[in-house]
C-alpha cells in the first residue's frame, strides 16, 4: 500500500501547465510525504526524505500561489514577481531533487535487504539522471533569465531540461512500480 501512494505521488510530480499554473506538484509532494511516513517504518533512510518534504510542500504551495497571482494579474504582476518566481521555482526543483536523493537511498537499501538488485540499479540510474537534469535546469534557467539573447537561434536547447525532467520523472514512476510489484507483492505472498 505504501508503494501505491509513492507511485501516485511520483505521477503527480509531472508538471502539467494549465496556462501559467502547474497544478499537481504540491499534491504530489503531499502524497510522497504520506508514503514516506509509512516507509520510514520499513527503512530509517526515509526519515531524511520526510524532513525535506516538510520544506517541499510549502515551497510548492508558494509556487502555485505565485502562478495563480500571475494568471490573475497578467502583465501587472509587478517587478518583484520575476525574481521571486525564479527563486521559488529553483527552490522547488532543488528540494524535489534533495527529497529524491534520500528516497533513492532508501529504495536502494530496500532493494539490497530484499535481494532485488533491480531496485539498486534503478536508484543509481535515477540519481544520475536527476543530477544531469538539475544541473541543466539551473544552468539554462539562469542563463535564460539573466542573458535572454544567449539562446537566439538555439531555442531547441530550452527544451532539454524539460525533456530531461520528464524522463527523470518517468524513471521515478518506473522505480515506484518496481517497488510495488517486487517488494509489496513478495511480502504479501510470504
Amino acid at each position: 500500500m505504501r508503494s501505491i501512494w509513492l507511485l501516485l505521488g511520483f505521477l503527480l510530480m509531472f508538471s502539467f501547465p494549465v496556462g501559467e499554473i502547474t497544478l499537481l506538484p504540491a499534491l504530489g509532494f503531499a502524497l510522497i510525504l504520506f508514503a514516506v511516513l509509512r516507509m520510514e517504518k520499513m527503512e530509517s533512510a526515509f526519515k531524511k526524505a520526510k524532513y525535506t518534504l516538510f520544506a517541499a510542500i510549502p515551497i510548492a504551495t508558494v509556487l502555485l500561489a505565485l502562478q495563480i497571482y500571475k494568471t490573475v494579474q497578467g502583465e501587472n504582476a509587478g517587478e518583484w514577481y520575476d525574481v521571486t518566481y525564479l527563486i521559488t521555482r529553483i527552490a522547488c526543483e532543488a528540494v524535489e531533487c534533495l527529497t529524491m536523493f534520500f528516497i533513492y537511498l532508501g529504495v536502494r537499501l530496500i532493494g539490497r535487504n530484499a535481494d532485488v538488485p533491480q531496485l539498486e540499479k534503478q536508484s543509481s540510474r535515477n540519481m544520475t539522471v536527476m543530477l544531469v537534469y538539475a544541473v541543466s535546469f539551473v544552468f539554462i534557467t539562469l542563463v535564460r533569465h539573466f542573458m535572454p539573447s544567449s539562446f537566439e537561434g538555439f531555442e531547441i536547447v530550452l527544451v532539454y531540461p524539460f525533456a530531461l525532467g520528464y524522463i527523470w520523472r518517468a524513471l521515478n514512476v518506473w522505480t515506484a512500480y518496481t517497488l510495488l510489484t517486487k517488494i509489496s507483492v513478495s511480502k504479501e505472498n510470504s
Side-chain angles (χ1 to χ4, degrees), residues 111-159:
R112 186 176 301 140
N113 294 340
D115 198 30
V116 181
Q118 184 178 9
L119 282 173
E120 290 182 74
K121 291 176 187 175
Q122 286 179 355
S123 292
S124 298
R125 178 202 58 210
N126 291 5
M127 199 174 299
T128 303
V129 174
M130 177 188 71
L131 290 174
V132 171
Y133 164 69
V135 169
S136 68
F137 173 80
V138 170
F139 176 75
I140 290 177
T141 301
L142 291 176
V143 169
R144 183 176 170 194
H145 182 75
F146 292 110
M147 297 181 294
S149 62
S150 298
F151 295 112
E152 286 181 12
F154 301 101
E155 287 82 9
I156 190 71
V157 173
L158 299 175
V159 178

Side-chain angles (χ1 to χ4, degrees), residues 10-151:
F10 285 165
L11 284 170
L12 293 176
M13 291 311 295
F14 285 93
S15 297
F16 296 109
V18 178
E20 294 283 331
I21 301 171
T22 54
L23 293 174
L24 303 176
L27 182 58
F29 281 133
L31 287 176
I32 292 170
L33 176 63
F34 187 69
V36 164
L37 289 173
R38 278 144 185 74
M39 293 177 88
E40 73 178 344
K41 296 172 186 164
M42 220 164 78
E43 187 57 60
S44 63
F46 288 104
K47 286 185 181 185
K48 292 180 182 174
K50 175 179 69 172
Y51 297 127
T52 60
L53 284 163
F54 287 146
I57 293 171
I59 291 171
T61 305
V62 168
L63 183 68
L64 180 61
L66 286 169
Q67 292 170 344
I68 291 170
Y69 178 79
K70 176 70 172 182
T71 301
V72 171
Q73 293 296 320
E75 296 301 318
N76 300 327
E79 293 179 19
W80 60 271
Y81 177 82
D82 288 335
V83 174
T84 305
Y85 181 79
L86 177 69
I87 291 168
T88 308
R89 179 78 177 142
I90 290 174
C92 190
E93 293 293 328
V95 78
E96 180 182 2
C97 289
L98 188 60
T99 298
M100 292 310 301
F101 175 78
F102 293 123
I103 288 175
Y104 294 150
L105 293 179
V107 169
R108 181 182 294 166
L109 288 172
I110 288 172
R112 186 176 301 140
N113 294 340
D115 198 30
V116 181
Q118 184 178 9
L119 282 173
E120 290 182 74
K121 291 176 187 175
Q122 286 179 355
S123 292
S124 298
R125 178 202 58 210
N126 291 5
M127 199 174 299
T128 303
V129 174
M130 177 188 71
L131 290 174
V132 171
Y133 164 69
V135 169
S136 68
F137 173 80
V138 170
F139 176 75
I140 290 177
T141 301
L142 291 176
V143 169
R144 183 176 170 194
H145 182 75
F146 292 110
M147 297 181 294
S149 62
S150 298
F151 295 112

